[in-house]
Amino acid sequence: MDKLLSLNNFVSVENLENEDVEKLIKRAEYFKNGGEAPHLNKEVYVANLFFENSTRTHTSFEMAERKLGLTVIPFDPGHSSVNKGETLYDTLLTLGALGVDLSVIRHSENNYYEKLINLNPDQHLNMGIINGGDGSGQHPSQCMLDIMTIHEQFGTFKGLKVVIVGDLKNSRVARSNMQLLTRLGAKVYFSGPEYWYSSEFDKYGEYAPLDELIENMDVVMLLRVQHERHDGDKNEKLFSETEYHKLYGLDEKRYNKLKKDAIIMHPGPVNRGVEWADELVEAPKSRYVTQMKNGVFMRMAMIEAVMRGRKLGGLE
């Protein structure tokens, strides 16, 4: 058997080699096809610290943890000492002292994990960190389950044409995917409102109107309009769901222009009738439900990689 991936933490796709990505896909597919979870000879404790709302990611991580045989320690940010001013580092220091080995964290601060993994000489936090999403920075587990879903459909990334559509500037999903897809050999395009496009994306792909791209795309990756991140954005006051759907949404007319084997993806939650016509969310070309299913198995592979890196549960 190929040597399985070992990581100390899993915070960004930027740190992954292409070979690492291949190993994670292969391992996630193994779990999806009924492969057994590794035997643990010692209990492993994990806490999920979600400081932003989540249904898919939070529940998916917990399902993955339970399938791997980990003991999940409940954590409720709303009733934690964070509300008394405790820092994230001190929260984790506490959990570590109580015996927690791994923490999955979602936080509104970009790169929150840097100060948790690059410790000062006087700090002693011995805990694996898995990034469940940081602000508008990275969303490595969503990116990896997207990569798995694309691989499942096409078996390769080289030469695939992928358009990422929507609220690009505020999307950690877009950032993670554009970085990794480009590195794996896909050709990335961007579409949606130009005021949510940033020149920082130029190195990964080109912007064009959706109707000019749709017929040639293999993957259409829709993004949720993230109204909660639009404070101070003058375009928020002018936003119209109807107008957005008309200009940038996946409606029946655009759906019918898609290539025969093209697929549509969305990280969820879906604003039905905005990014995606209600009746097309579960259409034959949609991989929305498949993405959610794949998320459990990919997160199993990611967690296992960190467990191996830290030799938790007797894994090496």
Side-chain angles (χ1 to χ4, degrees), residues 101 156 166 190 213 249 252 255 259-260 271:
D101 303 295
T156 185
F190 301 105
L213 297 170
E252 196 164 338
Y255 183 90
K259 290 164 69 172
K260 187 177 179 182
N271 292 311

Side-chain angles (χ1 to χ4, degrees), residues 239-257:
F239 184 82
S240 159
E241 292 188 350
T242 306
E243 193 66 14
Y244 183 95
H245 185 65
K246 179 180 168 186
L247 294 173
Y248 317 111
L250 203 287
D251 57 15
E252 196 164 338
K253 186 178 177 184
R254 292 186 177 112
Y255 183 90
N256 290 333
K257 287 183 179 178

